[in-house]
Amino acid sequence: MQLPSPIERTPIDATPLNRLAGLAVLTGAVTGLLVAGLNWTVIGVERLVYDVDHLHNPDPTSQVSRLRVSLTLVCLGVVLSWAWYGLRRLGRKQVGVPNAMNGRPMPVLETLLSAFLQVASVAAGAPVGRENAPRLAGGLAGSWISTKLGLDIHARRLLVAAAAGAGLGATFHLPLAGALFALELLLVEMSTRSVVVTMLASATAVAVTGVFVKPHPVYSSVPASEDWPTLGVAILVGLVAGVIGHWFGVLARKAVAASPQDGRILWQLPAAFVVIGAVAYFVPGTSSNARSMADTMLTNGMPAAALLAVALLRFGATLLCLRVGVVGGTLTPAFGLGAIVGALLGVALAPLFPGVPVGVFALLGAAAFLSTAMAAPLFGLIAAVEFTDLAAEGYLPVFVAVASAAIGVRLWSVAVHRDQPMVPFTSALWTRD
């Protein structure tokens, strides 16, 4: 007779909530320290490579010549290929956050090396997101503490997921979005225990990281309102950006699944970065993550032709990086691409909605695109609000855009007579868990 799994055998209240709350604070503090180290690594690499960091210039690559940017990317491809090859060949097999939640311990040294290598590559110009690294660091903190204290499987699951979300929240100073990431994508539940643990861990991590790295606005704020034209824009932009974001997420997951895990990375990754370096030379703004580009969409905008070119090139560069073995996230690329899609729709629909600024189109597109690319509507909604310090009157149109995005994906599945499942983009993709 087959025994039930550990999750089925262990009572859910084996670890009391008061003890879990204290452990959540402890884990959040450790996560906050690790994320502070990751953030300072980003700042240090940016200063080393581009002579300025993102705290003083949202786009450090704009401070140097295009030739220097291109040569940096070519060199980065060579260094990254050997770094990832060596880590996988010489180190222990890495464990993703989902498997760590289920009891597998994460190797400390290999996980830390992976996290710091990820953020260093993004800081040097790789066009992927850096949120996967702090999620790993947080998951490692939760896994290590759970193992050392011998926690039951339910407590471990909560603590690891909460710490992973807290790591994401601490990186961008998004306490609520970090907690929602853990609840919506990792735990997929909303109980009292899970809410308390994730909120405490995220708040603590954000506060601790803020002691060492001064919080700063990630994106400019956009004055959105609740008038009917804006709500109409939210529906239209949500439908279009949501479907495009969904397919970006699908292609990103396929790219990671096909990425080389053996010696092929030694030629595929450098070759890809030669292409990206050449593109960056002729079209500035297509390398590095999309933070600066998204902020431009929220404030000043760009001509339609330039928007379309940058959107296509960024879309391709991000997927190419993931395909050839660069380890990273899709959060900032998705937000940036969504802002570009929204801005393009703003240019096209300006005659119909003359009173709605292009920046509002960009914000709604970013929220909708992010929500379907990450397969997390609540996370996409709150991340857009916290990213931009959005005023209360802008909440409703963002809510409508995110809801429309989910409906858009559903309508697309009906139109093609094929289900379009929304699958999250997590660290399990990289570790083949």
Side-chain angles (χ1 to χ4, degrees):
M1 178 175 163
Q2 186 177 6
L3 292 175
S5 68
I7 292 181
E8 293 172 329
R9 293 200 306 268
T10 307
I12 195 167
D13 58 350
T15 301
L17 179 56
N18 57 341
R19 188 186 181 207
L20 264 181
L23 292 175
V25 172
L26 173 62
T27 307
V30 175
T31 299
L33 290 173
L34 291 174
V35 171
L38 292 173
N39 284 0
W40 273 110
T41 299
V42 171
I43 294 169
V45 171
E46 287 174 341
R47 290 175 180 175
L48 177 66
V49 176
Y50 299 112
D51 303 324
V52 69
D53 59 66
H54 67 275
L55 300 179
H56 297 91
N57 187 322
D59 182 15
T61 62
S62 65
Q63 295 297 105
V64 299
S65 67
R66 289 184 290 176
L67 179 61
R68 180 170 169 179
V69 172
S70 297
L71 292 177
T72 297
L73 289 169
V74 172
C75 294
L76 178 63
V78 175
V79 172
L80 281 182
S81 65
W82 281 99
W84 284 117
Y85 177 74
L87 182 58
R88 287 166 180 161
R89 186 173 180 82
L90 301 176
R92 291 168 292 178
K93 177 175 172 54
Q94 294 184 44
V95 176
V97 171
N99 259 4
M101 292 167 58
N102 291 328
R104 284 185 60 187
M106 302 175 76
V108 176
L109 180 60
E110 288 81 357
T111 303
L112 288 176
L113 286 174
S114 175
F116 279 92
L117 183 56
Q118 288 178 47
V119 296
S121 65
V122 174
V128 295
R130 60 184 172 97
E131 80 279 358
N132 187 62
R135 292 201 308 254
L136 274 182
L140 175 63
S143 172
W144 187 81
I145 290 173
S146 298
T147 299
K148 290 298 180 182
L149 297 180
L151 298 183
D152 65 85
I153 191 66
H154 290 284
R156 179 190 181 91
R157 181 172 177 270
L158 277 176
L159 210 58
V160 172
L168 186 153
T171 299
F172 301 106
H173 203 75
L174 309 175
L176 184 53
L180 279 174
F181 179 88
L183 292 167
E184 187 176 20
L185 282 172
L186 297 175
L187 294 169
V188 198
E189 68 171 80
M190 198 75 75
S191 64
T192 300
R193 289 166 63 88
S194 60
V195 170
V196 169
V197 171
T198 54
M199 290 291 187
L200 283 174
S202 187
T204 305
V206 170
V208 170
T209 299
V211 172
F212 298 94
V213 184
K214 183 179 179 182
H216 61 283
V218 180
Y219 298 106
S220 299
S221 186
V222 176
S225 64
E226 298 181 356
D227 57 29
W228 285 106
T230 302
L231 295 180
V233 165
I235 295 173
L236 295 175
V237 171
L239 291 171
V240 176
V243 173
I244 299 175
H246 167 74
W247 279 107
F248 172 77
V250 170
L251 293 175
R253 290 188 293 275
K254 288 185 176 180
V256 173
S259 62
Q261 301 291 304
D262 52 22
R264 291 175 298 166
I265 195 174
L266 295 176
W267 67 267
Q268 289 187 12
L269 203 156
F273 270 75
V274 169
V275 174
I276 295 171
V279 171
Y281 181 83
F282 292 103
V283 186
T286 53
S287 65
S288 70
N289 65 36
R291 178 189 171 194
S292 176
M293 183 58 61
D295 203 57
T296 300
M297 298 303 99
L298 296 173
T299 52
N300 302 320
M302 291 173 61
L307 277 174
L308 184 59
V310 170
L312 293 175
L313 291 173
R314 275 201 166 276
F315 196 99
T318 302
L319 295 179
L320 179 60
C321 279
L322 298 176
R323 170 61 182 80
V324 298
V326 178
V327 180
T330 57
L331 196 160
T332 44
F335 194 87
L337 286 169
I340 296 174
V341 170
L344 277 169
L345 290 172
V347 172
L349 299 176
L352 297 178
F353 301 95
V356 182
V358 173
V360 173
F361 278 86
L363 171 64
L364 298 175
F369 194 107
L370 178 62
S371 69
T372 53
M374 299 285 287
L378 283 176
F379 173 78
L381 168 66
I382 298 302
V385 169
E386 290 188 308
F387 264 148
T388 60
D389 288 332
L390 189 65
E393 57 267 24
Y395 291 5
L396 181 58
V398 173
F399 185 97
V400 172
V402 169
S404 297
I407 293 172
V409 174
R410 177 57 186 164
L411 291 176
W412 172 260
S413 69
V414 172
V416 299
H417 303 290
R418 184 176 179 182
D419 190 29
Q420 302 290 328
M422 297 175 68
V423 182
F425 191 98
T426 70
S427 59
L429 293 170
W430 300 108
T431 56
R432 303 297 200 265
D433 290 346

